[in-house]
């Protein structure tokens, strides 16, 4: 983070030093500087072109920074530290480019889907062969050492790769490729047999459970990816609050991977058309059904390590915010307070109220946490 600390010596302390008034103690006040990079993703609407949306968003975001500054200024009375906020870069991402964010994380932006699928098939076949080779090289491999190789997942992926290759061969109908496919089948099945036999040695039931768990996990992740991709087609970024879903959607992880700002260490703020997440609790389900529209999210490195992937904290904001809201300040508050349940017990007047409709108050305990955390922020 671009966090600079400036120590201010009060005027009265300087006056006292100059004129020998030793009874006036020197006081130092730390000022912390935090800056933001904004990446705005636009989606053309019937009423507005993307270029116009981008130009409209820029002053709105500058207003967000000013309101956030005002919020932290107001809370110095509760012993919150003095924080100076600024914005640096503002980038534009078109919707045509943004649609590619639904690609798998390891698919290059310039890599075609067919090339990617071909590469993944080779990786899965190489992986199953590698595990079989390690078992042959170490016949007495321990059970937990074997589990570290993810044999269940490797078996499921290899079998799926063979099915995909069969379908592709039938589509092409080339006799040469059929011969190569048969050789690949024989080699891969031999590797699977070696792994299965070793797993059977440690218990058939354990092996069956291992493979079944891998199948269920892959199915769930595929369903999650399809749901978030469908949502993104409409300009709605899915913010999963399910740890089993690897914390967040592929689209969000791709946003951070591809648009993270290099160089100035400011907090990246990604501005998207809309966002939602699965409804939490009976009240939200009753009001909004299964999905609830969100105004933003804070992604700390500690709570979302797989999403941020070493690229620093990140903030998500949506483009439907009102000028009376303090969304940026609210999400920055999440990062600075660093509590999972920062919304708990909060009222509309509070900055950390879950709806963030304009509240700005931070209590002394929150300010204490901010003061503790900002030193290493």
């Amino acid at each position: 983070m671009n966090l600079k600390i400036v120590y201010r010596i009060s005027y009265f302390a300087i006056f006292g030093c100059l004129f020998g008034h030793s009874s006036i103690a020197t006081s130092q006040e730390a000022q912390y500087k935090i800056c933001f990079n904004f990446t705005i993703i636009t989606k053309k609407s019937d009423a507005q072109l993307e270029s116009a949306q981008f130009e409209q968003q820029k002053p709105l975001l500058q207003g967000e920074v000013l309101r956030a500054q005002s919020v932290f200024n107001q809370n110095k009375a509760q012993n919150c530290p003095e924080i100076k906020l600024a914005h640096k870069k503002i980038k534009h991402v078109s919707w045509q480019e943004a649609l590619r964010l639904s690609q798998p994380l390891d698919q290059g932006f310039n890599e075609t889907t067919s090339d990617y699928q071909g590469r993944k098939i080779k990786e899965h076949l190489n992986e199953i062969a590698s595990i079989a080779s390690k078992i042959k090289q170490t016949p007495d491999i321990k059970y937990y050492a074997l589990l570290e190789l993810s044999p269940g997942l490797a078996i499921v992926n290899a079998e799926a790769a063979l099915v995909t290759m069969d379908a592709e061969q039938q589509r092409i109908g080339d006799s040469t490729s059929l011969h190569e496919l048969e050789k690949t089948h024989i080699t891969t099945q031999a590797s699977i047999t070696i792994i299965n036999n070793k797993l059977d040695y440690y218990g058939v039931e354990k092996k069956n459970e291992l493979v079944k768990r891998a199948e269920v996990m892959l199915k769930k992740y595929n369903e999650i990816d399809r749901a978030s991709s469908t949502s993104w087609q409409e300009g709605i970024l899915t913010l999963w609050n399910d740890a089993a879903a690897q914390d967040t959607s592929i689209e969000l992880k791709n946003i951070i991977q591809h648009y993270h700002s290099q160089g100035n260490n400011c907090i990246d703020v990604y501005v998207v058309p809309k966002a939602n997440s699965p409804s939490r609790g009976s009240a939200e389900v009753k009001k909004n059904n299964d999905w609830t529209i969100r105004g933003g999210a804070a992604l700390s490195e500690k709570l979302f390590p797989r999403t941020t992937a070493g690229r620093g904290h990140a903030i998500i904001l949506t483009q439907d915010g009102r000028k009376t809201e303090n969304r940026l300040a609210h999400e920055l508050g999440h990062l600075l307070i660093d509590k999972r349940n920062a919304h708990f017990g909060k009222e509309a007047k509070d900055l950390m109220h879950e709806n963030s409709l304009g509240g700005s108050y931070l209590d002394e305990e929150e300010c204490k946490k901010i003061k503790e955390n900002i030193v290493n922020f």
Side-chain angles (χ1 to χ4, degrees):
M1 298 301 103
N2 187 4
L3 180 60
K4 297 180 180 178
I5 306 174
V6 179
Y7 287 98
R8 291 182 170 180
I9 302 176
S10 70
Y11 169 79
F12 293 106
I14 295 173
F15 185 90
C17 290
L18 290 174
F19 292 90
H21 295 288
S22 58
S23 60
I24 301 178
T26 300
S27 65
Q28 290 185 325
E29 181 184 3
Q31 183 189 70
Y32 300 89
K33 293 186 177 182
I34 298 175
C35 63
F36 305 98
N37 296 315
F38 292 106
T39 297
I40 304 170
I41 298 176
T42 57
K43 185 177 186 296
K44 181 182 176 181
S45 66
D46 293 337
Q48 200 172 37
L49 296 174
E50 289 188 58
S51 57
Q53 290 177 25
F54 176 63
E55 293 302 322
Q56 181 187 57
Q57 285 298 310
K58 287 195 290 186
L60 293 176
L61 292 171
Q62 290 164 355
E64 282 276 9
V65 175
L66 292 175
R67 288 198 301 279
Q69 182 67 72
S70 177
V71 165
F72 287 101
N73 288 346
Q74 293 169 33
N75 284 288
K76 287 193 289 184
Q78 285 76 253
N79 293 316
C80 267
E82 184 173 356
I83 302 173
K84 179 66 176 177
L85 303 177
H87 67 273
K88 297 291 183 180
K89 299 178 182 178
I90 299 183
K91 297 181 291 186
H92 181 206
V93 176
S94 70
W95 188 242
Q96 183 177 1
E97 185 176 353
L99 281 173
R100 295 187 294 175
L101 295 169
S102 293
Q103 293 178 177
L105 290 176
D106 59 343
Q107 181 176 352
F109 261 25
N110 296 320
E111 185 178 22
T112 66
T113 300
S114 60
D115 286 345
Y116 171 76
Q117 290 174 342
R119 175 167 65 82
K120 294 305 292 184
I121 286 173
K122 291 178 182 178
E123 287 178 7
H124 293 322
L125 297 181
N126 289 337
E127 182 183 27
I128 202 77
S130 174
I131 296 173
S133 177
K134 288 176 182 177
I135 292 173
K136 287 192 290 185
Q137 292 170 6
T138 314
D140 59 345
I141 186 170
K142 302 300 182 183
Y143 181 63
Y144 288 106
L146 180 59
L147 289 186
E148 289 179 359
L149 302 175
S150 301
L153 191 60
I155 290 171
V156 174
N157 281 330
E159 290 177 341
L162 292 177
V163 170
T164 302
M165 290 177 68
D166 288 342
E168 181 64 12
Q169 195 284 324
Q170 289 179 8
R171 185 182 70 82
I172 296 174
D174 177 54
S175 58
T176 303
S177 62
L178 177 59
H179 177 67
E180 292 299 321
L181 179 61
E182 288 174 350
K183 287 172 58 178
T184 302
H185 263 282
I186 293 170
T187 303
T188 303
Q189 289 297 343
S191 295
I192 292 173
T193 299
I194 291 171
I195 297 170
N196 276 329
N197 288 341
K198 180 55 69 173
L199 288 171
D200 285 342
Y201 173 78
Y202 291 108
V204 175
E205 289 185 2
K206 283 185 178 180
K207 180 201 72 176
N208 292 339
E209 181 182 349
L210 199 66
V211 174
K212 183 65 177 178
R213 194 184 308 135
E215 290 173 342
V216 170
M217 182 188 71
L218 287 175
K219 181 180 179 182
K220 179 176 182 178
Y221 284 173
N222 287 334
E223 289 173 351
I224 286 171
D225 292 345
R226 281 195 295 270
S228 61
S229 177
T230 300
S231 176
W232 187 237
Q233 299 295 315
E234 301 301 319
I236 303 172
L237 179 67
T238 298
L239 306 169
W240 297 106
N241 47 28
D242 176 6
Q246 299 188 39
D247 297 332
T248 51
S249 62
I250 277 181
E251 288 78 15
L252 180 47
K253 286 195 276 281
N254 267 326
I255 285 174
I256 294 175
Q257 174 178 319
H258 292 287
Y259 302 125
H260 166 64
S261 298
Q262 303 288 339
N264 63 10
N265 292 325
C266 298
I267 299 175
D268 281 310
V269 181
Y270 303 99
V271 186
V272 299
K274 291 182 180 179
N276 67 5
S277 69
S279 296
R280 298 183 294 236
S282 57
E284 276 194 355
V285 172
K286 184 177 180 180
K287 180 180 179 181
N288 305 315
N289 296 318
D290 293 336
W291 296 91
T292 295
I293 295 296
R294 308 292 180 192
L299 304 163
S300 72
E301 289 183 290
K302 184 177 80 174
L303 298 180
F304 295 89
R306 286 173 289 186
T307 299
T308 54
R311 300 180 181 94
H313 305 307
I315 290 174
I316 303 298
L317 295 179
T318 59
Q319 296 170 13
D320 54 357
R322 293 184 290 273
K323 291 183 179 180
T324 54
E325 294 179 284
N326 294 317
R327 289 188 181 182
L328 181 61
H330 176 93
E331 302 305 342
L332 180 58
H334 273 296
L335 297 178
L336 290 171
I337 296 169
D338 193 28
K339 286 175 60 179
R340 286 184 179 272
N341 61 342
H343 293 159
F344 181 75
K346 297 303 171 184
E347 302 175 359
K349 68 178 178 62
D350 298 316
L351 177 66
M352 302 315 297
H353 185 257
E354 62 181 349
N355 289 329
S356 185
L357 296 177
S360 60
Y361 181 76
L362 290 164
D363 62 32
E364 289 195 10
E365 182 61 30
E366 289 169 324
C367 286
K368 180 181 177 182
K369 294 296 294 183
I370 291 173
K371 188 171 285 187
E372 290 173 0
N373 294 328
I374 198 169
V375 175
N376 298 312
F377 186 63

